[in-house]
């Protein structure tokens, strides 16, 4: 799945996304693919919406790496937005179709 992440980063650069997006989104997607691997998913094409929902629920309870406590709502939203951009990249480059359909709240 690593080649998807590298090509995703190139795509973000090509479309002139903000430097912070180019820097952060591939990291968020790497964490997502690592999560998929722990769930037994080894091909991005096998990702289903339930995996996205499970990952969202995991993000809500995942400890923050840099400080105590859980991830902030903004961090969770940033992760989900990166997933949406990644899904768009996969669709637009005709590699695969992942439906990122998730409603999140500020709970």
């Amino acid at each position: 799945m690593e080649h998807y992440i590298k090509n995703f980063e190139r795509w973000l650069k090509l479309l002139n996304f903000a430097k912070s997006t180019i820097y952060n989104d591939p990291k968020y997607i790497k964490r997502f693919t690592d999560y998929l691997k722990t769930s037994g998913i080894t091909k991005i094409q096998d990702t289903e919406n339930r995996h996205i929902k499970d990952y969202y629920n995991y993000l809500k309870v995942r400890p923050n790496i840099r400080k105590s406590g859980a991830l902030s709502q903004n961090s969770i939203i940033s992760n989900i937005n990166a997933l949406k951009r990644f899904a768009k990249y996969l669709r637009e480059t005709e590699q695969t179709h992942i439906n990122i359909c998730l409603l999140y709240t500020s709970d």
Side-chain angles (χ1 to χ4, degrees), residues 2 7 11 24 29 43 55 61 63 70 72 93 98-100:
E2 297 296 322
N7 290 334
W11 181 80
N24 288 316
I29 300 306
K43 296 179 184 174
Y55 187 64
V61 298
S72 69
T93 58
I98 299 174
N99 184 25
I100 309 293

Side-chain angles (χ1 to χ4, degrees), residues 32-46:
F32 173 67
T33 59
D34 288 346
Y35 174 84
L36 288 177
K37 289 175 189 172
T38 64
S39 301
I41 306 298
T42 58
K43 296 179 184 174
I44 201 71
Q45 298 87 339
D46 295 336

Side-chain angles (χ1 to χ4, degrees), residues 15-40:
L15 295 179
N16 292 318
F17 275 87
K19 288 183 182 186
S20 59
T21 301
I22 295 167
Y23 177 77
N24 288 316
D25 278 15
K27 290 192 312 184
Y28 295 144
I29 300 306
K30 172 72 168 111
R31 290 182 190 143
F32 173 67
T33 59
D34 288 346
Y35 174 84
L36 288 177
K37 289 175 189 172
T38 64
S39 301

Side-chain angles (χ1 to χ4, degrees), residues 32 47-56 80-81 83-85 87-88 91 97-104:
F32 173 67
T47 305
E48 298 176 2
N49 201 48
R50 67 183 170 93
H51 300 119
I52 307 299
K53 289 180 181 178
D54 289 346
Y55 187 64
Y56 172 69
I80 298 304
N81 286 336
L83 284 173
K84 289 179 180 181
R85 278 188 288 275
K88 182 177 181 178
R91 262 191 325 275
H97 179 78
I98 299 174
N99 184 25
I100 309 293
C101 179
L102 179 64
L103 299 175
Y104 46 84

Side-chain angles (χ1 to χ4, degrees), residues 3 6 9-10 14 16 18 20 23 30 35 49 51 57 60 71 74 86 93 95-96 99 101 103-104 107:
H3 71 282
K6 288 286 185 196
E9 184 176 0
R10 288 185 194 114
L14 181 68
N16 292 318
S20 59
Y23 177 77
K30 172 72 168 111
Y35 174 84
N49 201 48
H51 300 119
N57 289 326
K60 291 194 315 188
L71 293 177
N74 284 343
F86 185 61
T93 58
Q95 295 183 61
T96 190
N99 184 25
C101 179
L103 299 175
Y104 46 84
D107 58 353

